[in-house]
Amino acid sequence: MVTEYLRGSAVRDGGGGGGGGDGWRRYQERRGYKLWGREKYQKVLEEEVGFADVRVTDITGDLVEALMREEREMEENKEEFVKVSLGLLLLMLLLLLLMLVLLLLMLVVLLLLPLTLFLLLLLPVSV
């Protein structure tokens, strides 16, 4: 099974033929999209690619339904999503703070190490 985006045959959004309006067509051109209609795509798969028993099915309704369901679920769980997102953000900030503290400690050690070695060289050694 292969899923693919194709150009619709219905007139949508006030555009003429193929779905979408002029804005959608310009977007496709800018992005380099080559969207074919179902019939042309089926013909290419069968005649040029050599696939057999090709069935092209429009599942736009299923896709729209799934997107609307996800939007509803997102809206219903918005507070939980925000809480989890804020918790993750806080955790990331704490980790960043910890990294900065560790970096500061490393800098202190790097600055004190040469000074310590210098002082050790100056101290007389007694046996």
Side-chain angles (χ1 to χ4, degrees), residues 34-127:
K34 307 268 188 269
L35 299 178
W36 296 330
R38 287 187 292 176
E39 294 80 19
K40 177 171 179 159
Y41 191 64
Q42 183 172 0
K43 184 177 179 181
V44 166
L45 290 177
E46 290 173 339
E47 295 176 7
E48 295 181 27
V49 178
F51 288 170
D53 193 25
V54 174
R55 293 180 219 155
V56 179
T57 306
D58 184 355
I59 60 168
T60 301
D62 297 337
L63 177 61
V64 169
E65 184 181 315
L67 290 173
M68 291 175 73
R69 183 179 58 249
E70 288 178 9
E71 181 182 27
R72 264 192 323 272
E73 290 172 4
M74 185 67 166
E75 188 64 35
E76 291 169 1
N77 299 315
K78 183 170 40 177
E79 283 186 34
E80 182 181 349
F81 176 79
V82 169
K83 285 179 186 176
V84 169
S85 297
L86 289 175
L88 290 173
L89 180 61
L90 180 61
L91 180 61
M92 289 172 52
L93 289 173
L94 288 173
L95 288 172
L96 181 60
L97 180 62
L98 178 62
M99 289 172 54
L100 289 173
V101 168
L102 290 173
L103 182 61
L104 182 62
L105 286 173
M106 288 173 51
L107 287 173
V108 168
V109 167
L110 287 174
L111 291 173
L112 290 178
L113 186 61
L115 178 64
T116 304
L117 290 174
F118 177 73
L119 290 175
L120 284 174
L121 289 174
L122 291 178
L123 291 175
V125 179
S126 57
V127 183

Side-chain angles (χ1 to χ4, degrees), residues 6-22 24-25 58 60-61:
L6 301 175
R7 177 173 295 180
S9 58
V11 177
R12 295 189 190 115
D13 300 328
D22 290 335
W24 173 241
R25 273 195 276 301
D58 184 355
T60 301

